Amino acid sequence: MLALTSTWTTILLAAAVALGPLATDMYLPALPQIGSDFGSGADAVQLTLSLYMAGFALAQLVCGPIADRFGRKPVMIAGFLLFAIASVGCALATDIETLILCRFLQALGGSAGPVLGRAAIRDIYTPREAAKILAILASIMALAPAIAPTLGGLLVTGFGWPAIFLALGGYAAVMAVVVAIGIPESLRPEHRQPLRPSSLLGNYRRIATDVSFLGYTLTNALIFSGLFAFLSGSSFVLIDFLGVKPEHFGLFFACMVAGYVTGNLASVRLGNRLEPDQVLLRGLVIAVAGGSLMAGLAMAEVYNVWAVILPQALFMIGVGMVMPQTMAGAMANFPTMAGSASALFGFTQMAVAACGGALVGYLHDGTSLVMASVIAIFAVAALASYLLLVQRHPAPSLKPVSFTE
């Protein structure tokens, strides 16, 4: 068993958390083919993504408190096993309704990795340390979305889209074993919380009424929704509208991931000389610039791959700087109930993102305009959330910075 603070523990936690982006990014190149096979439109196919996020959000509200009572490991292992079983169901689906249902069940299991990975980091480190560790963890995790669309495109081309879900199920099964034998339990016995309904509701009420938590969580949810708008619409824009081949989709997607990793590494580097909220503000400004550039190009009817990918890469630099700071800030006030705080944080993030993804699918006009506009709007909203909430109510040890600095 590894030490809690070892580098390998961080790497394995990153691999566990990576199941979330793998489950969304790997099958993106398959969305048009799934729609064709089942005779479904873009809005119905995108429900497999949006309802996955909705299930992911709801499940976190349950697994967080359970993990605060029984520990991170057993809940994470059970989640991975459920995900593996549901993945087989996805691969065997014969209609879009069955696929949507199995994706929802997939989400119930898959939520354990991200919510408990964040909680474990908060168990082990202080808020200031957690911001840096989360940035490092995010950089490692970025390997998943970097290779997932390319691998998914190859699987679709060579074996059909069901192979993607079989591969995801295999990964989840392996991670269940890895967590069982490699990652130590991070929850201290004295921090375990009772499972009485009154205690659970009391904990959630305390977390949800903390203005600092609300500010960081809303800022995160809005910027993540901009990212999810891209995930939801990118395959239809790049493959159907701009003519990118499914097997090449991942190569363009990797540019976005490179932007995200750049933002993560910048977050770590800047964290050595700036306060976390200073890094957060700079990331939001960069994200607004990227989203606004993409929307402006779409409005000017500049329709080509690079008019989408390069602004999105700039947006993702900002996202890479924002995400670790908001995660650490949201959980800073709750060291004894990190699982519940992480669950409510994740629920809000996924619920808002699911609405954003559904909006892109509903309004999709066959071009990049809707997707680009939604990304820009969410970026501006995230900056407004920072200015109105986070800047006025920062978490302890996370000093704010004036917008004019």
Side-chain angles (χ1 to χ4, degrees):
M1 196 70 67
L2 300 169
L4 280 174
T5 56
S6 75
T7 301
W8 277 107
T9 296
T10 301
I11 292 173
L12 291 180
L13 282 173
V17 175
L19 184 62
L22 279 174
T24 54
D25 300 339
M26 186 178 286
Y27 93 124
L28 291 179
L31 292 181
Q33 185 61 53
I34 290 172
S36 176
D37 287 355
F38 291 148
S40 303
D43 54 343
V45 176
Q46 284 178 320
L47 279 177
T48 65
L49 195 56
S50 295
L51 287 185
Y52 173 88
M53 301 302 281
F56 205 96
L58 291 170
Q60 292 184 75
L61 293 178
V62 177
C63 73
I66 293 175
D68 279 343
R69 174 64 182 88
F70 297 107
R72 316 305 184 201
K73 285 186 60 170
V75 180
M76 197 179 291
I77 292 168
F80 285 140
L81 293 177
L82 174 59
F83 183 97
I85 294 170
S87 296
V88 175
C90 289
L92 298 177
T94 56
D95 54 63
I96 194 66
E97 292 79 14
T98 302
L99 181 61
I100 290 172
L101 173 62
C102 290
R103 282 286 287 171
F104 185 81
L105 295 176
Q106 227 187 7
L108 300 185
S111 66
V115 68
L116 301 183
R118 288 192 300 264
I121 294 298
R122 182 62 187 92
D123 292 338
I124 301 168
Y125 298 99
T126 67
R128 289 293 299 270
E129 293 170 336
K132 295 180 181 179
I133 296 299
L134 285 167
I136 294 171
L137 184 144
S139 298
I140 299 171
M141 276 177 55
L143 293 173
I147 65 174
T150 300
L151 179 59
L154 293 173
L155 288 173
V156 169
T157 302
F159 304 99
W161 60 263
I164 294 175
F165 292 106
L166 294 177
L168 287 170
Y171 182 89
V174 169
M175 286 311 307
V177 176
V178 169
V179 171
I181 66 176
I183 299 179
E185 177 59 59
S186 63
L187 181 63
R188 299 176 184 177
E190 64 270 22
H191 286 175
R192 293 178 185 261
Q193 301 288 315
L195 268 180
R196 295 189 302 272
S198 59
S199 297
L200 295 180
L201 292 175
N203 287 347
Y204 274 133
R205 183 169 57 250
R206 176 184 166 191
I207 296 166
T209 54
D210 185 284
V211 181
S212 175
F213 173 86
L214 291 175
Y216 286 104
T217 299
L218 183 58
T219 302
N220 178 282
L222 290 167
I223 203 70
F224 183 77
S225 295
L227 164 59
F228 191 69
F230 179 80
L231 296 180
S232 182
S234 60
S235 60
F236 294 98
V237 170
L238 295 178
I239 296 175
D240 283 354
F241 176 52
L242 297 175
V244 173
K245 294 181 179 179
E247 59 268 31
H248 296 157
F249 175 82
L251 299 178
F252 293 103
F253 199 84
C255 295
M256 183 200 77
V257 176
Y260 182 66
V261 172
T262 300
N264 289 149
L265 297 178
S267 178
V268 175
R269 193 172 188 84
L270 291 173
N272 293 325
R273 61 183 181 85
L274 298 177
E275 298 292 341
D277 277 2
Q278 292 177 305
V279 179
L280 171 55
L281 176 58
R282 285 157 174 76
L284 287 168
V285 172
I286 292 171
V288 169
S292 300
L293 177 60
M294 189 195 303
L297 290 171
M299 290 177 184
E301 298 186 355
V302 179
Y303 294 137
N304 64 69
V305 171
W306 296 113
V308 173
I309 293 299
L310 293 181
Q312 181 65 18
L314 180 61
F315 173 83
M316 291 304 298
I317 292 174
V319 174
M321 296 171 67
V322 168
M323 297 287 278
Q325 318 307 321
T326 51
M327 290 179 192
M331 294 188 290
N333 291 346
F334 307 103
T336 63
M337 55 181 81
S340 295
S342 180
L344 190 57
F345 174 91
F347 170 80
T348 306
Q349 180 193 67
M350 297 300 176
V352 176
C355 293
L359 186 65
V360 170
Y362 180 74
L363 297 177
H364 180 59
D365 64 351
T367 73
S368 60
L369 179 60
V370 169
M371 182 186 75
S373 299
V374 171
I375 291 171
I377 290 170
F378 275 122
V380 172
L383 178 59
S385 174
Y386 171 85
L387 296 175
L388 296 175
L389 292 174
V390 174
Q391 193 175 60
R392 298 179 182 180
H393 304 279
S397 302
L398 299 179
K399 189 186 302 181
V401 60
S402 170
F403 184 63
T404 58
E405 289 186 23

